[in-house]
Amino acid sequence: MRLSNLLRRMAVALSLGQGLMLPAMAQPELESFTGRFAIASQNCLKTNFGGVSKRCWRVEIDGRTDSVLTIRFFGDGEEQGSIETLTFVVSLSDPSVPLRCQNGRCELEAPSWAGRVNSVAIARYGNDGLAVSVPNAWPAKSGQCTRADNTIRCLAVGPNGGQILAEATL
């Protein structure tokens, strides 16, 4: 993949992420857990319900409340230059907050944590950054996201028993 193509795709991913942050940034006082941690990952893989694995290249973790995180994996879409995101909504099992945020920008605080996956969503964006369809979302029958040994790993079982997985080294 050419460098200009990668830079364009990363710019689109950043734009998509910034749009999701605007409501939180408008609040006069942000909570210490509200914001986003984002990192590029050289070792990232997402596997869909059908067992097809694709490389991913960016991970974003959003603090929604002191006990709910959104973990999003960005990867290549089906068309050249397009993006597919895989999002896990996670309820933390430990009351300690894994993010330390200031003005909407976060750092990972806790070296290890775990949480139950509530739902999973897949969204697809064209090479122009516009959504190509309505995101698909499912409640998770079961599942867990963990951070351990500098790796984020999420596994969820969908309503029909299929598994979806994403893992990235930070």
Side-chain angles (χ1 to χ4, degrees):
M1 179 184 324
R2 294 190 342 217
L3 180 59
S4 62
N5 216 7
L6 179 62
L7 291 174
R8 181 172 45 83
R9 287 187 9 213
M10 289 189 73
V12 169
L14 286 170
S15 297
L16 293 170
Q18 290 300 324
L20 296 172
M21 283 300 297
L22 290 177
M25 294 175 77
Q27 296 176 4
E29 290 184 36
L30 293 174
E31 300 288 343
S32 63
F33 51 77
T34 304
R36 171 172 294 145
F37 170 79
I39 190 167
S41 177
Q42 296 292 326
N43 189 15
C44 184
L45 193 65
K46 54 190 181 72
T47 305
N48 67 20
F49 286 120
V52 176
S53 294
K54 291 185 179 179
R55 184 182 73 84
C56 45
W57 35 266
R58 180 178 176 82
V59 179
E60 292 181 353
I61 303 173
D62 292 341
R64 298 292 182 201
T65 70
D66 60 349
S67 62
V68 176
L69 297 176
T70 300
I71 303 173
R72 185 173 293 110
F73 297 83
F74 287 80
D76 299 331
E78 293 179 12
E79 307 276 329
Q80 183 175 351
S82 65
I83 296 171
E84 180 179 275
T85 63
L86 174 58
T87 304
F88 296 85
V89 177
V90 180
S91 294
L92 298 172
S93 51
D94 184 348
S96 65
V97 180
L99 294 175
R100 181 179 37 85
C101 304
Q102 184 174 10
N103 297 326
R105 296 184 192 270
C106 303
E107 296 295 325
L108 285 175
E109 182 80 1
S112 64
W113 45 265
R116 179 180 48 85
V117 175
N118 298 320
S119 64
V120 179
I122 296 175
R124 293 178 177 90
Y125 302 90
N127 59 9
D128 56 3
L130 298 175
V132 296
S133 65
V134 176
N136 293 318
W138 305 269
K141 192 174 180 181
S142 64
Q144 186 175 39
C145 285
T146 59
R147 178 183 183 205
D149 299 326
N150 219 27
T151 298
I152 299 280
R153 183 175 196 274
C154 294
L155 172 69
V157 177
N160 296 331
Q163 292 186 352
I164 194 161
L165 167 72
E167 184 172 282
T169 302
L170 305 177

